[in-house]
């Protein structure tokens, strides 16, 4: 079946560094979503991308929808301790009456103060 | 309410018992999704509702799992004869699902422990 791959699987960075993670698929999606999950909480939506090539920012976060529609990346600039968590990408195919959503396995981010 | 709510937040049950997990989606959201997340793992899709119907039940792990949604709002996920491998966090998400808005918003989850 369809699968999303996220890399890296985990990251340990110093506070203030920039972070880059990506998500790839063998299938085409028409929506990419990026989520962050804190321990014991549900995932929180960070950014939604709907158009190939689209580049969207949300504060220190920037995400892009790859032009092949098979990948997406998320960048975090000037990381801070509260950026710690697991970042999930999700690819979504929406049709008239049916959604198919695939989540990646996540990238675990640790920020060292 | 402002967001998706789930109850209970934690459930401990004995192997073989049935459990019901509840999800209250964001008001007006027509689509509702159930996922399962095992410790340290990603999200496993279980079932998707559009209104009260479930176009996709392909993720339900076995016939012990069932879900329903009534009134286009509240959904209940039922696990019969629970097994230890059912222990996980069960997450619910809802979506407005109209043109240009397919984002899913998650609840805090129900942590199920089967002893």
């Amino acid at each position: 079946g369809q699968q999303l791959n996220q890399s890296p699987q985990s990251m340990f960075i110093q506070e203030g560094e920039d972070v880059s993670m990506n998500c790839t698929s063998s299938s085409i999606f028409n929506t990419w979503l990026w989520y962050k999950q804190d321990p014991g909480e549900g995932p929180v939506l960070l950014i939604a991308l709907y158009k190939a090539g689209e580049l969207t920012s949300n504060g220190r976060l920037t995400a892009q929808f790859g032009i092949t529609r098979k990948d997406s990346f998320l960048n975090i600039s000037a990381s801070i301790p509260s950026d710690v968590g697991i970042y999930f990408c999700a690819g979504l195919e929406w049709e008239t009456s049916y959604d198919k959503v695939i989540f990646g396995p996540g990238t675990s981010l640790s920020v060292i103060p | 309410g402002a967001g998706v709510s789930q109850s209970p937040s934690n459930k401990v049950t004995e192997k073989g018992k049935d459990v019901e997990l509840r999800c209250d989606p964001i008001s007006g959201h027509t689509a509702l999704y159930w996922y399962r997340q095992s410790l340290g793992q990603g999200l496993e899709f279980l079932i998707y509702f559009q209104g009260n119907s479930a176009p996709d039940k392909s993720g339900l792990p076995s016939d012990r799992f069932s879900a329903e949604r009534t009134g286009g709002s509240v959904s209940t996920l039922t696990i019969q004869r629970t097994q230890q491998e059912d222990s996980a966090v069960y997450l619910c998400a809802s979506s407005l699902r109209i043109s240009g808005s397919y984002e899913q918003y998650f609840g805090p989850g129900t942590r199920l422990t089967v002893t």
Side-chain angles (χ1 to χ4, degrees), chain A residues 31 33 35 37 40-45 47-48 50 86 88 92 94-101 103-106, chain B residues 31 33 35 37 40-43 45 48 50 55-56 58 91 95 97 100-109 111:
Chain A
T31 296
L33 306 171
Y35 289 87
Q37 186 175 30
E41 304 288 331
V44 174
L45 181 67
I47 291 179
Y50 290 105
I86 301 176
F88 292 101
L92 173 67
W94 40 265
E95 300 176 5
T96 302
S97 60
Y98 176 68
D99 289 346
K100 188 174 185 69
V101 184
F103 277 82
Chain B
Y33 309 79
Y35 296 88
Q37 187 175 32
Q41 302 296 311
L43 281 70
F45 169 80
Y48 153 63
Q50 180 59 33
D56 188 358
S58 63
L91 291 161
S95 171
R97 206 183 174 277
S101 180
Y102 292 88
E103 299 95 342
Q104 296 182 20
Y105 294 88
F106 283 83
R111 181 175 297 280

Side-chain angles (χ1 to χ4, degrees), chain B residues 58-72:
Chain B
S58 63
L60 294 176
S62 75
D63 58 8
R64 296 186 294 105
F65 287 72
S66 63
E68 65 174 13
R69 189 180 185 195
T70 55

